[in-house]
Amino acid sequence: MRVVFYRVYQIIFKFVRRIIEWKNADLIEGENSILKIPDLLKKLEKNRILLVTDKNITSLGLTHPLLEALKKEGINVSVFDETVPNPTIGNIENALKQYKENDCQALIAFGGGSSMDCAKGVAARVAQPHKSVPQMRGLLKVHRSIPCIIAVPTTAGTGSETTIAAVITDPQTHEKYAINDPCLVPRYAVLDPLITLGLPPFVTATTGLDALTHAVEAYIGRSNTRETREAARQAVKLVADNLFQAFCNGKDKTARANMLKGSYLAGVAFSKAYVGYVHALAHPLSGYYQTPHGLANAVLLPHVLDYYGSSAYKPLAELADMLSITKTSDNEEVKAKTFIAWIREMESKMNIPSRIEGIMDTDLPGMIHNALIEGNPLYPVPKELFAADFRKIYEMIR
């Protein structure tokens, strides 16, 4: 009966999503595209900005060219660089305080997924000042116009620059959950490959595999549309053709630009088709052990795809055919397993571990509980899984 309820829920939600249309972030692409932001803000008549980033990015000087350009145009910028990996409720409240104290009108999210999630959290609180972050957890709890967000990704992975989600961590409960609302899609996504050139190889690998996970989970799920299928396929192809090159040669501008585009397209796909159990299982790893999200996804992805079995053979076989890694004589099962083997081989070449150490027996019940709440009934996965299945998968990666 639970499976029937979950599937009915997903069908209804898919129908609702098609009624609630939302626009993807407008793209601004190319080398030095961040320098177009001041003119954009002037056109929007926004001259008091909160730039949300983290200490690592400011210490590397990545924001300096943008800040200088904004200063020349007389745009006042307050920099919040206290964003932590897997941003917390407190993190958002501190950024919100700075936003209000400086009477800001818009936000620039400059960084990886954490900076963008933090900025979205601030925007949600501005739109709903009488709602706490936990009260906006789930679906359509913001439902108001938010301040303009310009998202500048410094990694090619999360796709948060065009998604409806702000992912938040509650340090008290170890939960990592999302605020999902179409109003949270940033208004602009600025994809400048030059600011990703210094990304370390391991971070390049894990964030790129995060993008691959988004695209694959969207493609094999049951809530696809023609748009999301095409976006997911393009994203998988871009990652397949460019990730290892970006890993080996971080200064390759073409590979970096293509990875940014792939991450964006994966974001377009999973915003409207959703993700699956890889994410449901990955988020507790971040909540309990601060495991980087991309790494958690990378480790879990082949295991979860294996666990889906025949329910995912057809779409995985299609992706394998697209990448030309199969023989025409292969059946769907062989093609699907070839695709999963390709993921494992690519991860091995980039030194991605096959396991995550330190998962404690005492934490498993809470982790499984959090994963179940996130995944069921929302995620339109190929095959419904339950607590015993989640335990088996966690055991596989310990």
Side-chain angles (χ1 to χ4, degrees):
M1 285 299 294
R2 281 187 296 175
V3 172
V4 173
F5 167 71
Y6 294 165
R7 291 307 189 195
V8 170
Y9 181 98
Q10 292 158 15
I11 290 168
I12 293 171
F13 190 57
K14 180 179 180 179
F15 176 74
V16 170
R17 280 207 305 275
R18 291 189 175 186
I19 294 175
I20 305 173
E21 290 293 334
W22 67 85
K23 191 173 180 291
N24 300 322
D26 288 339
L27 270 180
I28 301 173
E29 302 178 82
E31 295 179 23
N32 291 312
S33 54
I34 60 170
L35 300 183
K36 297 178 182 178
I37 293 176
D39 282 343
L40 180 60
L41 289 169
K42 288 176 68 177
K43 290 177 183 177
L44 296 171
E45 299 182 341
K46 309 293 183 185
N47 58 14
R48 295 186 303 279
I49 311 300
L50 181 69
L51 189 148
V52 179
T53 187
D54 62 57
K55 290 287 188 188
N56 185 51
I57 287 173
T58 54
S59 67
L60 291 171
L62 295 181
T63 58
H64 184 71
L66 174 59
L67 292 174
E68 285 296 306
L70 291 167
K71 182 179 178 181
K72 286 181 182 179
E73 295 297 332
I75 296 172
N76 297 312
V77 184
S78 177
V79 177
F80 178 82
D81 63 357
E82 303 292 336
T83 305
V84 298
N86 307 308
T88 63
I89 298 168
N91 213 196
I92 290 169
E93 293 301 321
N94 290 337
L96 175 66
K97 180 181 178 183
Q98 190 167 324
Y99 182 96
K100 291 179 175 179
E101 287 175 347
N102 290 276
D103 194 25
C104 294
Q105 302 164 304
L107 299 112
I108 298 174
F110 196 111
S114 294
S115 294
M116 286 184 267
D117 286 338
C118 185
K120 289 179 182 181
V122 172
R125 288 282 285 114
V126 171
Q128 288 283 12
H130 302 298
K131 282 188 178 181
S132 67
V133 170
Q135 286 174 326
M136 289 184 282
R137 172 181 182 170
L139 302 168
L140 306 176
K141 301 288 182 63
V142 184
H143 204 54
R144 285 187 182 178
S145 177
I146 66 167
C148 175
I149 300 176
I150 299 173
V152 184
T154 58
T155 64
T158 69
S160 189
E161 65 273 12
T162 192
T163 70
I164 68 171
V167 183
I168 315 299
T169 299
D170 187 332
Q172 301 301 317
T173 64
H174 303 296
E175 287 181 285
K176 189 173 181 180
Y177 57 81
I179 301 171
N180 293 289
D181 200 300
C183 70
L184 294 180
V185 176
R187 188 163 175 183
Y188 298 95
V190 181
L191 309 184
D192 190 334
L194 297 186
I195 60 175
T196 69
L197 295 183
L199 206 62
F202 189 73
V203 178
T204 297
T206 55
T207 54
L209 290 164
D210 189 18
L212 180 67
T213 302
H214 294 151
V216 172
E217 288 209 290
Y219 191 78
I220 68 175
R222 293 186 167 202
S223 289
N224 269 298
T225 64
R226 182 179 300 176
E227 177 197 11
T228 61
R229 285 192 191 93
E230 182 57 28
R233 287 173 65 87
Q234 289 183 43
V236 170
K237 180 65 171 162
L238 284 166
V239 172
D241 290 347
N242 294 279
L243 177 54
F244 190 65
Q245 175 62 19
F247 173 82
C248 293
N249 179 12
K251 300 298 182 182
D252 188 321
K253 296 176 185 177
T254 300
R256 291 296 193 185
N258 286 337
M259 283 303 302
L260 281 170
K261 188 61 172 286
S263 176
Y264 171 86
L265 288 168
V268 169
F270 89 81
S271 267
K272 297 182 180 180
Y274 247 60
V275 287
Y277 288 141
V278 176
H279 276 73
L281 290 160
H283 285 152
L285 291 170
S286 299
Y288 276 78
Y289 307 115
Q290 289 72 56
T291 305
H293 178 63
L295 175 60
N297 275 348
V299 173
L300 282 161
L301 179 59
H303 292 285
V304 174
L305 295 181
D306 271 335
Y307 207 94
Y308 283 144
S310 60
S311 65
Y313 284 167
K314 184 177 186 299
L316 292 178
E318 291 170 355
L319 293 176
D321 283 342
M322 180 191 68
L323 298 182
S324 301
I325 58 175
T326 57
K327 301 174 183 176
T328 55
S329 58
D330 291 339
N331 60 32
E332 281 185 350
E333 179 179 358
V334 171
K335 290 179 179 181
K337 290 182 177 179
T338 299
F339 182 78
I340 298 169
W342 168 78
I343 294 173
R344 285 195 165 97
E345 181 183 359
M346 181 168 59
E347 291 188 352
S348 177
K349 288 196 298 184
M350 294 187 295
N351 304 313
I352 302 296
S354 60
R355 299 181 181 276
I356 293 176
E357 298 181 359
I359 299 176
M360 299 174 62
D361 287 336
T362 52
D363 291 336
L364 281 176
M367 293 168 64
I368 292 167
H369 172 75
N370 291 348
L372 284 170
I373 289 176
E374 177 178 341
N376 295 336
L378 181 60
Y379 291 165
V381 289
K383 176 183 177 181
E384 299 289 350
L385 303 181
F386 302 98
D389 303 300
F390 284 6
R391 178 176 287 276
K392 288 178 183 177
I393 294 170
Y394 276 136
E395 292 290 352
M396 291 175 187
I397 67 167
R398 293 177 70 183

